Amino acid sequence: MSEAVHDLLNDPRPDILFVSGDFPLDESVLANFPRGTKVLSANRFGTSAWTITARVNVELPDGAHARYFLKCAIEEGGRIMMEGEYNAMSELYKTMPNFVPKPISWGRYRVGNPDTYYLLSDFIDMNDRVPEPNQLCSKLAQLHRSSVSPTGKFGMHATTCQGRTPQAVSWGSSWTEFFSNLLQHVTDLDFKTNGYWEELDLLEKRIFASVIPRLIGALERDGRSVKPCLIHADLWEGNTGTSYQTGDIYIFDSGAFYAHNEMEIGDWRCHYNKIHNKIYTRTYLRHYGPSEPKEEWDDRNRMYSIYFNVIYSVNHMGQGKAVRQTVYDDLYYLIDKYTPFSEGQGPPRLNQFDRASLSTERDHTAT
């Protein structure tokens, strides 16, 4: 889909509207603006692996100028992505309107072949520096504390995506069961996408059968409970920006759902993102302390990072071997600690000669 969606820009059709700039618009997008709005320009803006994006400048009927951000993707996968992101961003905006650009609408281009779907939101001019830790983490903790699940359960009312991969976010009452289903979904996709790995399968089966019920289940035993918190669910530095005008940090490209708040920062353990810097996790924990049992916080963080590493492997297919190996190591670590194999019974451990490395393109800490 990544190549096909960019072909939209190179395949002009007579029923597409061309205005000043290099990005084709569609009547369905223009229908979101007040009657009498003049489109001044539409230009490609930013980069994206699975979508094409643009900045649209308009003059409103009262003479005021406004700017919008437009994202497009094609076919059924594109529909799921655009609908999911609109619902995710809308839920975040409802809770923290000073933390996300305002989503306007999503829909389908009237022009078909291929079917094209879009997401329209307010445009905020932002730099792409790594976010200032205290502002990011204080806002994130506020989001997690103040959000209220509309059903009282974990999940989301629409399928959301992490990257191009749909997540298993149907509503569930138990966090332990919800997380198990969430992780099972992406491990199945990983084998389908990247090939079966018998030893990894053995570890994952033990994790689902024994470690998750013990480690994550402890959050819901002995009178303890987990609050369903709204999380962004794909919060690496590339999905944050700082407003040039105000200095406020914003988050975007969300795959949000209601989850245990600690799930959010499992993504920060992933070594290929700059937000892996421990200052972010330490700062977040100052604003929102660990759940009980506190002594198992780091193990839960490792478990949650496994989800983000597996879905990374799915999104980037053959480029994710090194990340799959990190999953293998982390699974083995948790099994050794909570439900170890009998001596000589577990699959072989990886050695230094087995190790793969991420390409510079995929390792964001290399730039």
Side-chain angles (χ1 to χ4, degrees), residues 125-131 237-238 240-244 252 274:
D125 201 7
M126 296 179 276
N127 67 51
D128 59 358
R129 297 195 306 264
V130 292
E237 68 276 0
T240 72
T242 303
S243 168
Y244 283 112
F252 45 85
K274 294 176 183 176

Side-chain angles (χ1 to χ4, degrees), residues 6-202:
H6 288 86
D7 288 342
L8 290 173
L9 297 174
N10 303 315
D11 184 26
R13 290 162 287 180
D15 38 7
I16 285 284
L17 299 175
F18 284 89
V19 297
S20 176
D22 59 9
F23 198 93
L25 294 180
D26 184 89
E27 289 285 358
S28 60
V29 176
L30 302 184
N32 292 284
F33 304 137
R35 183 180 297 274
T37 296
K38 298 177 183 177
V39 179
L40 303 177
S41 63
N43 288 282
R44 279 177 272 193
F45 184 89
T47 58
S48 175
W50 303 291
T51 65
I52 52 175
T53 53
R55 181 177 61 194
V56 181
N57 297 304
V58 306
E59 182 180 303
L60 299 172
D62 63 1
H65 286 207
R67 295 183 294 179
Y68 297 91
F69 181 76
L70 178 65
K71 177 185 288 190
C72 297
I74 63 170
E75 300 173 340
E76 179 61 11
R79 182 195 66 79
I80 296 170
M81 288 167 60
M82 297 299 96
E83 181 179 15
E85 186 174 342
Y86 173 76
N87 279 281
M89 294 296 287
S90 296
E91 198 75 3
L92 290 168
Y93 185 81
K94 181 174 67 177
T95 305
M96 288 273 292
N98 64 338
F99 201 20
V100 297
K102 181 180 180 180
I104 305 299
S105 72
W106 82 280
R108 180 179 177 273
Y109 268 32
R110 295 178 185 176
V111 176
N113 193 29
D115 289 339
T116 302
Y117 299 89
Y118 72 89
L119 170 69
L120 185 69
S121 61
D122 279 350
F123 178 88
I124 298 173
D125 201 7
M126 296 179 276
N127 67 51
D128 59 358
R129 297 195 306 264
V130 292
E132 191 279 317
N134 191 62
Q135 184 189 159
L136 174 68
C137 294
S138 63
K139 282 186 169 182
L140 196 60
Q142 183 183 348
L143 169 69
H144 294 162
R145 279 202 176 89
S146 61
S147 55
V148 178
S149 168
T151 63
K153 299 179 180 181
F154 304 97
M156 191 66 170
H157 60 271
T159 298
T160 58
C161 297
Q162 213 258 44
R164 62 179 176 177
T165 303
Q167 302 179 110
V169 293
S170 297
W171 295 112
S173 300
S174 162
W175 171 242
T176 307
E177 292 178 9
F178 180 90
F179 176 73
S180 185
N181 291 336
L182 189 76
L183 183 59
Q184 183 72 69
H185 172 68
V186 294
T187 57
D188 290 346
L189 287 176
D190 185 43
F191 286 136
K192 182 178 179 181
T193 303
N194 292 306
Y196 183 66
W197 181 1
E198 182 180 3
E199 293 80 6
L200 180 62
D201 189 29
L202 287 171

